[in-house]
Amino acid sequence: MNYWLVKSEPFVFSFEDLVRDGVTRWDGVRNYQARNNLRAMSLGDLCLFYHSNEGLAVVGIARVSKTFYPDPTATSGDWSAVDMAPVKAFTQPVTLAEIKKNPVLSEVGLVKNARLSVMPLRSDEFFTILDMGLTQL
DNA sequence: GCCAACGTTGGC
DNA sequence: GCCAACGTTGGC
């Protein structure tokens, strides 16, 4: 099991959209590092879903429901997509500010490389954010 | 192969 | 709306 964090601008595609749709194609990635991360995803891997630009918080958990295949939205180049399904919405969004405050999360890509849209998380990072997001059950 | 110019992302 | 960080492009 690997753990990931994916970013989406909520006015383009939000976690609520994912819950509504049930499954979505995670396409349009045009960055080699992010693409390689997509290709490293295994079936059932868990992804934290982060809202960029608006919200600025991790809002839920998704899982990989189909591993990588050629991105149908790519007109040229060697790009990949995966499918994702919702797992659970956070009861309390975990904001970027909170992530930056937590020393355990200082290596997280959101902090280290703000522009990367698909990044791996260590399991301790994943579960730390999970605890912060599901505290008010 | 280097590097300057440019475009894009995304936080503030 | 601004700007820093980063990736990509293209001239040499």
Side-chain angles (χ1 to χ4, degrees):
Chain A
M1 170 78 71
N2 303 303
Y3 302 101
W4 309 92
L5 185 146
V6 297
K7 293 201 286 200
S8 183
E9 302 176 50
F11 47 87
V12 176
F13 189 83
S14 70
F15 190 75
E16 291 71 30
D17 293 331
L18 179 62
V19 170
R20 183 199 61 212
D21 295 351
V23 65
T24 197
R25 190 176 65 214
W26 207 262
D27 58 21
V29 169
R30 297 292 181 272
N31 169 284
Y32 289 109
Q33 205 180 339
R35 181 203 67 183
N36 292 342
N37 288 334
L38 283 182
R39 291 182 178 183
M41 288 179 175
S42 304
L43 191 65
D45 277 2
L46 295 177
C47 305
L48 296 181
F49 196 109
Y50 176 79
H51 281 173
S52 63
N53 282 304
E54 275 179 19
L56 304 188
V58 177
V59 294
I61 312 160
R63 77 183 159 77
V64 178
S65 61
K66 186 180 180 185
T67 56
F68 79 92
Y69 53 93
D71 183 346
T73 70
T75 51
S76 67
D78 181 21
W79 302 108
S80 299
V82 302
D83 285 356
M84 283 194 197
V87 173
K88 189 165 186 50
F90 276 6
T91 51
Q92 185 177 329
V94 178
T95 65
L96 180 62
E98 288 172 305
I99 288 170
K100 284 183 171 174
K101 264 189 271 175
N102 192 328
V104 175
L105 304 175
S106 62
E107 302 293 314
V108 167
L110 275 180
V111 181
K112 284 269 175 184
N113 180 2
R115 298 190 47 187
L116 189 60
S117 61
V118 181
M119 68 196 75
L121 294 176
R122 300 192 311 256
S123 59
D124 64 315
E125 294 168 338
F126 176 84
F127 287 109
T128 295
I129 297 173
L130 205 66
D131 285 345
M132 294 161 76
L134 294 174
T135 45
Q136 294 190 338
L137 281 173

